[in-house]
Amino acid sequence: MRYLALLESVVLAGWICVVVYGYALSFIGRIRGRSKAPLIYPRHVFALVVPVGNDEGSIGRTVEHLRRNKYPRGMFDVIIAPLNSTDQTSNAARRKGAVVYGPGRQRWRDRDDAILGVLERLSSKDRYDAYIILDVRSRISANYLAVMSDKLSKGGLAIQSGYSVSGRKWTWNTACRALLSTLKPGWLTSWPLDLRLGGGIHRTGLCISRQLVEKHGIKRPRLDNEAAFQTELLRRDVVIQYTDEAWVYDRTRAVKPVRSTFSRLRSRWRHAQADGLPLILEGLKWRSAAQVIGGFNLFLPTYNTMLATAVLFFGLSAYLHGAASALAMGWIALIASLAIFVVFRLWYMRAPVLAYIALPSLPLILFWQSVKSCFTSKPKQGRTREQTETGSGQTKERAETGSGRTQGRKPRRRYSRRPRRQSS
């Protein structure tokens, strides 16, 4: 009994230190982010990249909204990336003035693969200075592009705008999405800091400069691997800036599925082993507080782990020592601190009122997400561009060298039908 109480005390003290550390980072970011300089006159050309599926009913309103932004009309374009669209989504976007970039000969597996393909093609052009990633139901503030141009003029390479979940205010789906969004991409790094940690990375509302794409690339790691992408930029001393002057409002109705709990823990541990200690050592060498903090954060537990541990240990303390014991009261205070942290995040993300009301159900939502992810089958991945090029290269090599029964024979001559003469 004594050793068990000692274990509970040690875990409780460690968890309290992590919570105090998270609060300290949050308040430092809020205090240091108060000073705001006047905006610089718009001088950059943007490409607003929007991956779409069968969204014929909503793409028109989205393009109209984006084109009404208070920015010089000739200095931004809406780029549509259709992903396996079988309806009139592309034609509806063209009628509203958007530019459609199809996959061509390659095949896009998902929306992130479509974004990478479009950015690769856009980076070869000499028109755009930066690319902004949005969703088909995204809405942006009126000064969005002006703020992004100002940040780019002041040396920013990757800028994350404010992120808020919108939709019907009094629906459970909106409240659930708002609660889950408060914990993404990371509960310790998604606050505005001037220590090169930025505000974390939400794919929606992320502005990437052309210089960043050409110099550092975005394929390895991919944009959908937010933690790895942010850590890689941090190791290359790239500032991820955050601004709360520009906002993107996500109206997507579906809740983004999560990976299996065990796979997430495994990948997080591998990520911490590969990048955590090198980041800390590099930060100590170059006297960079950002790299030290970033490497230290990789070893800290996630919000889900802390909340689950606190609930389990509270039940154990209440059973062994009573609900009025010091250990039980300590776990209650820890759970309340985690809840206050989420309330603070909801307020900062401009969440609807129903999200505050649904806060007691957050442990059940997280538990249901974890259980559901364990039984979710992996989607079948299509052939990417690299696989297509590899396959075409092998086919070409077989055609030149010959294989099987045709080896050593001359290739069969192909005849084509002569084109018909057009009558004048």
Side-chain angles (χ1 to χ4, degrees):
M1 185 71 67
R2 181 181 304 175
Y3 293 104
L4 186 58
L6 180 60
L7 176 62
E8 293 180 15
S9 303
V10 171
V11 176
L12 178 60
W15 263 214
I16 290 176
C17 292
V18 173
V19 171
V20 172
Y21 172 75
Y23 273 100
L25 287 184
S26 303
F27 285 114
I28 289 174
R30 293 300 300 162
I31 293 173
R32 300 189 65 175
R34 287 182 179 179
S35 58
K36 298 178 181 179
L39 296 181
I40 299 177
Y41 186 78
R43 62 178 64 174
H44 295 89
V45 181
F46 293 95
L48 279 62
V49 181
V50 184
V52 298
N54 291 330
D55 300 297
E56 182 181 358
S58 58
I59 187 61
R61 294 189 296 271
T62 300
V63 175
E64 288 181 355
H65 168 79
L66 296 177
R67 288 171 60 88
R68 287 198 301 265
N69 198 269
K70 294 182 179 180
Y71 199 76
R73 182 62 195 89
M75 298 181 65
F76 72 94
D77 293 325
V78 181
I79 310 296
I80 302 299
L83 176 67
N84 302 329
S85 297
T86 57
D87 56 2
Q88 299 298 319
T89 302
S90 300
N91 295 332
R94 289 192 185 96
R95 286 195 297 267
K96 297 297 182 179
V99 181
V100 179
Y101 274 36
R105 296 181 178 180
Q106 61 181 342
R107 180 178 177 82
W108 292 335
R109 302 180 295 185
D110 49 22
R111 295 178 183 269
D112 293 289
D113 197 23
I115 293 172
L116 295 178
V118 171
L119 292 185
E120 183 181 2
R121 294 170 61 180
L122 292 177
S123 60
S124 61
K125 298 177 180 274
D126 195 19
R127 168 171 170 75
Y128 304 107
D129 301 317
Y131 321 103
I132 297 176
I133 303 171
L134 300 170
D135 283 335
V136 67
R137 297 181 181 273
S138 298
R139 299 294 183 263
I140 59 178
S141 57
N143 63 336
Y144 192 94
L145 297 180
V147 173
M148 292 300 171
S149 178
D150 173 74
K151 295 297 181 181
L152 292 173
S153 300
K154 296 176 181 177
L157 295 179
I159 305 102
Q160 177 64 56
S161 65
Y163 178 84
S164 177
V165 171
S166 62
R168 296 182 178 179
K169 296 182 178 180
W170 297 103
T171 59
W172 177 254
N173 182 273
T174 304
C176 182
R177 290 190 296 114
L179 284 173
L180 294 177
S181 298
T182 57
L183 307 179
K184 295 179 181 178
W187 75 286
L188 286 172
T189 59
S190 57
W191 288 94
L193 292 175
D194 295 336
L195 300 176
R196 294 193 178 94
L197 293 179
I201 295 180
H202 284 284
R203 191 199 67 179
T204 303
L206 178 63
C207 177
I208 306 176
S209 65
R210 177 184 174 185
Q211 181 181 356
L212 177 65
V213 175
E214 293 177 348
K215 185 176 181 180
H216 301 289
I218 54 174
K219 285 192 172 182
R220 296 181 180 178
R222 284 163 47 105
L223 280 174
D224 53 349
N225 193 356
E226 299 162 344
F229 182 73
Q230 183 179 357
T231 305
E232 185 66 24
L233 292 184
L234 190 60
R235 295 195 65 177
R236 297 179 181 181
D237 200 25
V238 175
V239 178
I240 303 177
Q241 297 185 3
Y242 182 89
T243 175
D244 56 355
E245 301 176 15
W247 282 84
V248 58
Y249 302 94
D250 189 3
R251 301 173 60 92
T252 306
R253 299 174 183 174
V255 178
K256 187 177 180 180
V258 297
R259 293 183 300 168
S260 172
T261 304
F262 299 104
S263 62
R264 283 188 284 120
L265 292 176
R266 191 186 310 114
S267 62
R268 181 178 177 84
W269 176 244
R270 291 177 180 176
H271 187 41
Q273 285 183 321
D275 298 320
L277 187 58
L279 265 178
I280 296 176
L281 296 178
E282 292 175 9
L284 295 175
K285 179 181 179 180
W286 301 107
R287 297 180 180 179
S288 172
Q291 293 180 337
V292 174
I293 294 175
F296 181 72
N297 287 346
L298 293 177
F299 292 99
L300 295 181
T302 62
Y303 186 92
N304 301 12
T305 304
M306 293 192 61
L307 182 60
T309 307
V311 172
L312 291 177
F313 271 91
F314 167 71
L316 182 62
S317 300
Y319 176 75
L320 295 178
H321 312 289
S325 62
L327 285 176
M329 297 302 295
W331 288 113
I332 291 177
L334 180 64
I335 295 174
S337 301
L338 294 175
I340 294 174
F341 201 94
V342 176
V343 170
F344 189 31
R345 189 72 61 86
L346 288 172
W347 169 78
Y348 185 75
M349 295 180 63
R350 304 178 182 180
V353 180
L354 187 60
Y356 297 91
I357 303 175
L359 181 60
S361 63
L362 180 60
L364 298 178
I365 296 175
L366 295 176
F367 176 75
W368 171 245
Q369 287 282 314
S370 302
V371 172
K372 187 172 63 174
S373 64
C374 297
F375 298 96
T376 303
S377 59
K378 295 183 179 180
K380 296 182 180 180
Q381 297 180 352
R383 291 172 62 87
T384 59
R385 182 175 182 179
E386 297 178 358
Q387 296 173 348
T388 305
E389 291 178 353
T390 304
S392 61
Q394 294 175 356
T395 306
K396 185 177 180 180
E397 184 178 357
R398 289 179 182 177
E400 292 177 354
T401 59
S403 60
R405 293 183 298 177
T406 61
Q407 187 173 5
R409 297 182 183 181
K410 295 182 179 180
R412 183 177 298 178
R413 185 177 180 182
R414 295 183 179 181
Y415 294 93
S416 59
R417 184 179 299 177
R418 296 181 60 185
R420 296 182 180 178
R421 183 177 299 176
Q422 298 181 355
S423 58
S424 56

